Amino acid sequence: MAAFPILGLALFLPAVAAILVYLFARRDATARLGALIASLVPLAVSVYLLIGFLRPDLIPLALDPIQGRYRAFEEASWIPQINVFYRLAVDELSFSLVLLTTILVPLAMIYSWNQKKRVPEFFALLLLMETTMLGVFMSLDFFLFFVFWELQLVPMYFLIAIWGGPRRRYASIKFFLFTQAASLLVLLGIFVFYFYMGTGVDAFNMIAIIETGPIPIGVVQDLLFVALLIGFGTKLPMVPLHTWLPDAHVEAPTAGSVLLAGVLLKMGAYGLIRVNVQMIPEAATTLFWVFAVIGTISILYGAIVSLAQDDLKRLIANSSISHMGIVMLGIGASMHAFNNGTAGVMGISGAIFQMFAHGLISAALFMLAGSVLHRLGTRNLSELGGIMNRMPLLSWLLILAFLASLGLPGLVGFVAEFTVFLGTYEAFGLWVLLPILTVVLTAAYYLWGIQRAVHGPFRESLGEPRDIALYEVLPLVVLAGLFVLFGIFPAPLMDLFNTWTTSFFQAFGGI
Amino acid sequence: MIVAAPLVAFVIILLTGRWQWQGGAIWTIGAVGLSFVFALGLLIEALLNGAVGGTFPAQEVIWYRWLGTPSSGFVIEFGILIDSLSVVILALVSFLSLLIAIYSVGYMGHEKDKARYYSQIALFVSGMLGAVAANNFLQLLIFWEIMGLCSYLLIGYWYHKPEAAAAAKKAFMVTRVGDVLFLVGVIAVFVIFGTFNILEVSALAPGLPLRMTLIVPLLFFAGAIGKSAQFPLHAWLPDAMEGPTTVSALIHAATMVNAGVYLAARTIPLIVTNVNASLFIAFIGGFTAFFAATMALANHDIKRVLAFSTISQLGYMFLGLGAAGYALNLGLAGAQEGYSAAIFHLANHSFFKALLFLGAGSVIHAVATNDMRKMGGLHKRMRITSLAMLVAALSIAGVPPLSGFWSKEGILAATFAASAGNQLFFWMWLLGILTVFMTAFYMFRLWFMTFWGKPRWENEPRESPRVMTVPLMILAVFAVGSGLVIFPLGGFGNLIYPLVAGAHAEFTAPLDILIRTFAGPNSFLTYISILGVAAGLGWATLIYRMGAISPDSLTAGPGRRALHTLLKRRYYIDDAYDAFGRRFVLGIARLSDWFDRNIVDGLVNLVARLTLWAARGTDLVDRRAVDGVVNSISLRTLRGGRTLRRGQTGQVQTYVAVIVIGAAIVLFLIQIVFPLLGVP
C-alpha cells in the first residue's frame, strides 16, 4: 500500500481551509470554529509522527531513498524541465519544529477568540501561515523550500499591516524589507547549490545535497557560508540585523507575535542548521567562531537592551534576540568541539531544544503581553503596578512564564540553556563564563519587571480591570503544562535531537 | 517518598487550597510530617546499621533517566542518595519544617491568602529535601533553584509592600550570582569526569586535573556563598526579613541557608584536592562570622539582629569545613573533626535559630512591630516565649552545657589545630573568639531589650496560643539537649565523617570527651572561649539590664558615632551593590538601548530611505518603459487591491519595487559574480 501522504495532508489542509473560511464563513463564530478544527488536523499528524519517531515499531514511516533518515517521505515531480520536485519528509530536526508549529497555531487561534476585526480574514491568514511555516520545515526540495519561505512573508505582512498597532505601516514594511533582502541571499545560496550539483540532475534535492556535499571546500564554501549566515541570521535574528524584530512585535497583533516569535524565528535557526551546518559542514567548522561570537554578542546585547525597556512587549522581543543567540552559540560550540575531536553532540542538541523551548515560552510571553494591553490599556512597566492585587491569574501566569524564560531549573528553558552551556564549556572551557552572564541579566530584567508591574500597591489609574478570561487562560495553561512536562521529562525529546546530532557528526566525520 | 510527599501537598493545595480550612495547612503539615516519619526511619536504620563508627554504606535509588542516552556516554539519572550525611540533614530539615508548619497555623491565622502560603511552604520543604537527597549535582541544582524560587515567592509574600517586593528580588538576584558559578562548576565537573553522579564524582575527585583543583571547588563554593549568605553575597538575608517570620525561620533553620553548608560538605572530596581552596573557604567563613556579628551589634530590628547572627553562625560552619579540608589535605591531626563539628553546628544552630525566630515571631505577633525600641518588659506578659528565647540565647552564645557550646568548641578547636599548618588559621581562631564575645553581647542585648526594662509597647501584648508555644517548648528542649548527642556518638568524627579517602572515625569515650574539652592540653582554648562568652554576657547585662552604662555612651563621640553609622549602613556594601545595579548596569542598558534605536536602527532606516528613493526612480522608469497595456492592468489590479484591502495601499508598490530590485541583484549575481567565482 502506498503510504498515505500525511505530511501533504497536514501541509495543505490548512491552506484549503483558509480559502474556505475566507470565502464561505458568513459568521465570525463559524470562521473561528472552522479554522480551529482545521488546525487540529496537523496537530494530530504531529502526534502521529511523534509516536512514529519514538516507537518506529508501532508506526513505521516511509523513509527517503537516499539516506534513509527522513521519514514520512513523499515525492512527486512538479516542474520536470528544471528538475523541481514536490518532496516532503521530516527528520528529528524538522519534526521538532513541525510539532512546535502545530501546537502553537491552535493555541494562537484559541487566544484570538474574541478578535473583533475582520474575523474570517484573520483566521484564514493564520491558517495560511500554518501552511507556509510547515512547508518550510517539511520541504526537502530547495525550490519548494524557497517558495514556502517567501510565501510565509505574505500572511505575516498582512497580519501586521491590518491588525497591527499604531505604527504598523512602518513595522510591516520594515519586516518585509528586512526579510526580503535576507531571502535574496538565501536564493543566491540555493542557486549556488543548484549549479554545483550540475543542472540536469536532481539538483534541488536537499537530501542529495546533504549526501554529496557538492561545494568545494575553501573560498566558495566560506563565501556561501557568509551569504547564508546573513540570510538566515536576519530571520533568527542575530545582532546587528535584529532591529526589525522589536518593531514588528510591538505592532503585530498578539497571535501574529506568537507565531512570529514562536515559529518564524526558528525558520532562521532551522536554515542555519539544515543548510549552513549540514550542507557545507567544512565551512561551518572552520568558521565556528562566527557562530560563537555572534551568538554571544546577541545573547548579552539582547539581554542588556531588554533591561532598559519599558514596553513589556519590546522587553520580550529583545529577550528573544538574547535567547536565539543561545541557539547560535550552541551550534558554534558543537562545531568547535568537532574540531577538537570530541563528539560535540550537546551544542546542537541543546540548540534544537532551545528552539523548541523558546517557541513555547515566547508564545506564552506574547500572549500575556497581549492580555496586559487588552485588560489594562498599557504595556508600559512604568504605568503598571501591583496588578497581582486585581488580576492574580494573569500575574501568576506571567511570573511562571518569566521564570521559564529566565531558565529556572525544572522548567523547559533550563534544559536547553544548560545543555548549550555544557556544550560551550566542552568546546571553549571557562569562556562559558561570558555568555552565562546572561543568566543573571535575564533574571534581572524579568524580576525587575515583576517588581514594577506585578508587585507593589495597585495603581488606581489602571481602573477596574477584570482578570483574564477562559479563552486566554486555556492556551496559557496548556503552555505552562508543557513547560513543566518537558522540564521534568526532557529525555524523550532530547533523545531525538541527540540522535539527529550524532548521526550528523557520523555522516560528516565519515566524509 | 520523603521528597514527594510535600510536592504532592504543593499540587493539592495549589489546586484546591482556596476552599479548605486554613488554606490547606493540614496537607502541608501532614505531608511534612510524613517526610519526617520516613526520614526518622532512615536515620534510625542508619544508626542501627553502623552509622556510628562510619560503616553505614551510601545507597542510591534511581528514579528515572532525565537526559542523555547510555550510548552517548552522557547520562543523567535522577535519584536519591542516602548516606550518613544526607540522613542526618533530612531528618533535621523535615522535623524543623514540621514544627514551623504547625506554628504557622497560629502565626498566619489572620492572613487572607493562606493557600498560597502553605503551598509554597510545601514546595520549599520538598526543594530542600530534594536537594539534600539528590544523587547527582544537576538534580541538586534543580531543587536548589526551586528553593530559590520559593524563597523569592515567600519573601515577597506581602507583595503589595514595595519593600517586600524589592527584598524578594534582591534575594533571588544575589543568590543567582552564586548559582551561576555553581552551574559552571557542575558543568566543569561533568566535562572533566563525564558524570554528574555525586558518588562517582567523589570517587574520581582525587583525579581532578591540577589546574582545575582550585577553580572547581571554588565554583561550587560560590553557590554555597550565595545560598548561605556569606560575604560578599550576604546582602540578601537581612532584607529577606520582609517575609513572614515563619518564612524567616524556615529559611534560617530548616532550608535555604543550610543548603549552602550541605553543598560545601558534600563537595569536600573536591575541596581537599587543593590546600588553597580549603584556606579560602575557611577564610570566608571566619571573616563572615566576625563581620556579620559586628553588624548585629548596631541593629534595632529584632529579626535583622537574628539574620546577622545567622550569617555569622554559618560563617563558623564554613570555617570548620575549611579547616577540616585543609587538615585532610595535609594529613594534620585534630582538625579533621571540624567537618563533623560544622555539620553538628548546623544541626544545633537550626534548633536554636528556629527557636529564636519563632520566639521573635511570637513577640512580633504580640506587639505588632519588629523594632526592639518599642518592646521591653515583655517577660511578665509572655513567660513561655521569654524563657524559650533565653534558652536559645544561652545556647547560641555558647554557654556550656547547652548545644551551641559543644559544636562551636569543636569548630574553634579544629581551627586552632589547623594553625599548625598555616598561621592564618590562628588569626581566624582569634576572629572566632571575638565573635563568641560579640554573639553573647548582641544576643543578650536583644533579650534584655525585648523582655526586660520599661515597657515601651502601645497595645496590650498577650502570650501566643498553644499552637505557637508548644513548638517553642519542643525546640527549647532540643536547644538545650541536642549538643549532648556528642556523648553517645563518641565524639564528632563518628556519625558524619568526611567522605574522603584517608578520613577516619574514632570512637571517643564520653569521659574522654569531657576531659579533652575541660582538662586536656588544649583545654585552655575552651576556657578562653568561655571567658569570651562571660564577658559579652556580662557587658550586655551591665548596659541593658543594670543600666550601669548608658547605651547612648556607645555612640557618643565622633569616632564611635561614625563606627555606629558604618555598622548600621552595613559597611555601605548594600548601597554599593545598589549603585552598581542602578547606575552602572542600568546605565549600560540605557546606553545600549539608545545605540540600538538610534545607531543600528538609524542605519537601517537610512538604507530604507535610500532604497525608497531608488525605488521611486525605478518606478518612474518602469511606468515609462513598460508598455501601456501592462501598466494599466497592473494599475487596475492595484485599485482592486485597494478596494479589497483598505489600509495598506502604497505598500504594494514598495513590494513590487523590492521584487524588481531583488530580481536585478540576482541577475547581476548570476551574470557577473558567478562567472568570476567559476560557478558553471
Side-chain angles (χ1 to χ4, degrees), chain A residues 22 118 121 154 157-158 161-162 168-170 172-174 176-178 180-181 184 187-188 191-192 195-196 219-220 223 240-244 246-247 301 304-305 307-310 314 318 345-346 353 386 388-389 396 399 403 406-410 414-415 417-419 421-422 425-426 430 432-433 436-437 439-441 443-444 447-448 450-451 454-457 486-492 494-495 498 502, chain B residues 18 64-69 72 74 76 78 113 116 120 138 141-143 145-146 149 152-153 156 159-162 165-169 172-173 176-177 180-181 183-184 186-192 196 212 215-216 219 582 585-586 588-593 595-597 600-601 604-605 608 611-612 644-652 654-655 658-659 661-663 665-666 669-670 674 677-680:
Chain A
Y22 179 61
R118 300 163 80 170
E121 286 128 299
V154 179
Y157 171 82
F158 284 120
I162 300 177
R168 57 177 180 259
R169 285 182 49 127
Y170 172 76
S172 56
I173 293 177
K174 194 168 176 180
F176 202 99
L177 290 181
F178 248 105
Q180 185 71 12
L184 286 174
L187 183 63
L188 163 71
F191 282 141
V192 175
F195 288 117
Y196 271 102
V219 185
V220 185
L223 279 176
L241 302 171
H242 63 281
T243 54
W244 63 270
D247 284 318
Y301 186 81
I304 287 173
V305 174
L307 202 53
Q309 299 306 318
D310 192 36
R314 259 195 112 82
N318 279 301
V345 175
M346 261 97 71
F353 205 99
M388 178 83 96
N389 295 292
W396 281 112
I399 289 176
L403 291 171
L406 66 80
L408 188 81
F414 171 74
V415 183
E417 288 184 14
F418 168 76
T419 318
F421 289 135
L422 195 63
Y425 184 93
E426 197 184 28
L430 285 173
V432 72
L433 286 168
I436 218 167
L437 256 180
V439 175
V440 176
L441 288 171
L447 293 185
W448 196 36
I450 293 176
Q451 189 192 357
V454 178
H455 287 160
F486 290 121
I488 297 177
F489 301 104
M494 192 63 105
D495 284 354
N498 276 337
T502 314
Chain B
R18 204 177 308 175
Y64 70 102
R65 184 171 59 91
W66 189 68
L67 259 194
T69 43
S72 65
F74 164 62
I76 310 168
F78 278 13
D113 200 359
R116 182 158 58 93
Q120 287 166 7
L138 190 68
L141 179 75
I142 289 179
F143 282 101
E145 292 269 347
I146 288 178
L149 165 69
Y152 171 71
L153 296 173
Y159 53 80
H160 47 83
K161 278 166 63 188
K169 183 190 68 174
F172 199 94
M173 286 307 304
R176 193 143 179 104
V177 173
V180 167
L181 297 175
L183 176 67
V184 177
V186 170
I187 289 175
V189 158
F190 177 79
V191 173
I192 294 167
F196 289 109
M212 302 306 283
I215 186 89
V216 167
L219 285 170
R582 213 171 284 274
V585 179
L586 203 59
I588 289 185
R590 296 242 157 86
L591 193 70
S592 306
D593 188 43
F595 177 78
D596 205 52
R597 282 170 200 254
V600 182
D601 221 23
V604 169
N605 286 340
T611 321
L612 268 181
L644 272 174
R645 302 220 187 290
R646 284 151 284 151
Q648 66 284 346
T649 47
Q651 287 145 34
V652 180
T654 327
Y655 184 15
V658 169
I659 287 178
I661 297 170
I665 294 174
V666 170
L669 286 168
I670 291 173
F674 281 17
L677 288 175
V679 180

Side-chain angles (χ1 to χ4, degrees), chain B residues 75-90:
Chain B
V75 191
I76 310 168
E77 283 175 320
F78 278 13
I80 293 188
L81 172 65
I82 300 297
D83 65 358
S84 45
L85 177 60
S86 61
V87 159
V88 169
I89 298 189
L90 285 176

Side-chain angles (χ1 to χ4, degrees), chain B residues 389-636:
Chain B
M389 292 280 276
L390 175 64
V391 168
L394 288 169
S395 190
I396 192 175
V399 174
L402 278 77
S403 63
F405 167 75
W406 299 102
S407 46
K408 197 181 283 183
E409 262 337 287
I411 289 171
L412 289 174
T415 313
F416 192 80
S419 66
N422 191 319
Q423 277 252 296
L424 263 175
F425 278 102
F426 174 75
W427 295 108
M428 279 182 264
W429 173 79
L430 204 61
L431 282 181
I433 292 291
L434 285 173
T435 311
V436 166
F437 163 73
M438 287 191 289
T439 310
F441 177 76
Y442 69 68
M443 282 319 298
F444 278 87
R445 170 177 175 264
L446 182 149
W447 194 67
F448 286 130
M449 276 183 88
T450 310
F451 294 104
W452 296 92
K454 247 182 273 158
R456 297 179 292 271
W457 23 266
E458 283 138 21
N459 55 345
E460 280 297 308
R462 260 201 251 142
E463 182 60 285
S464 303
R466 274 292 160 77
V467 69
M468 290 164 71
T469 50
V470 170
L472 288 182
M473 292 187 254
I474 297 173
L475 282 169
V477 172
F478 278 92
V480 174
S482 67
L484 302 176
V485 295
I486 187 176
F487 294 107
L489 291 181
F492 293 123
N494 267 308
L495 181 57
I496 312 148
Y497 61 102
L499 315 145
V500 185
H504 59 282
E506 273 170 29
F507 191 88
T508 320
L511 197 63
D512 291 340
I513 295 174
L514 275 181
I515 293 172
R516 190 179 60 189
T517 315
F518 292 108
N522 279 339
S523 60
F524 71 95
L525 297 174
T526 314
Y527 293 114
I528 292 177
S529 128
I530 291 178
L531 213 63
V533 175
L537 219 162
W539 202 28
T541 315
L542 281 178
I543 297 173
Y544 296 101
R545 180 73 190 100
M546 326 273 281
I549 306 168
S550 159
D552 298 330
S553 70
L554 296 180
T555 52
R560 286 176 187 177
R561 201 175 304 124
L563 183 66
H564 185 258
T565 317
L566 184 69
L567 295 179
K568 221 157 168 152
R569 299 298 305 165
R570 308 184 202 165
Y571 296 95
Y572 296 97
I573 289 175
D574 290 58
D575 297 330
Y577 284 162
D578 209 42
F580 176 77
R582 213 171 284 274
R583 300 258 162 75
F584 184 71
V585 179
L586 203 59
I588 289 185
R590 296 242 157 86
L591 193 70
S592 306
D593 188 43
W594 179 88
F595 177 78
D596 205 52
R597 282 170 200 254
N598 294 298
I599 309 295
V600 182
D601 221 23
L603 267 173
V604 169
N605 286 340
L606 186 70
V607 171
R609 220 160 277 141
L610 289 175
T611 321
L612 268 181
W613 287 334
R616 272 187 206 121
T618 325
D619 196 36
L620 275 175
V621 175
D622 226 31
R623 276 163 207 255
R624 285 182 192 163
V626 177
D627 112 30
V629 183
V630 176
N631 206 345
S632 76
I633 288 174
S634 78
L635 271 177
R636 231 168 256 172

Side-chain angles (χ1 to χ4, degrees), chain B residues 149-232:
Chain B
L149 165 69
C150 290
S151 67
Y152 171 71
L153 296 173
L154 284 167
I155 292 168
Y157 178 74
W158 289 309
Y159 53 80
H160 47 83
K161 278 166 63 188
E163 303 83 31
K169 183 190 68 174
K170 189 167 175 182
F172 199 94
M173 286 307 304
V174 173
T175 51
R176 193 143 179 104
V177 173
D179 294 353
V180 167
L181 297 175
F182 176 24
L183 176 67
V184 177
V186 170
I187 289 175
V189 158
F190 177 79
V191 173
I192 294 167
F193 296 126
T195 179
F196 289 109
N197 189 293
I198 288 174
L199 287 179
E200 290 172 23
V201 169
S202 303
L204 293 168
L208 198 65
L210 194 62
R211 60 188 187 86
M212 302 306 283
T213 52
L214 186 59
I215 186 89
V216 167
L218 292 187
L219 285 170
F220 276 93
F221 183 56
I225 288 183
K227 269 291 189 272
S228 293
Q230 297 293 290
F231 178 83

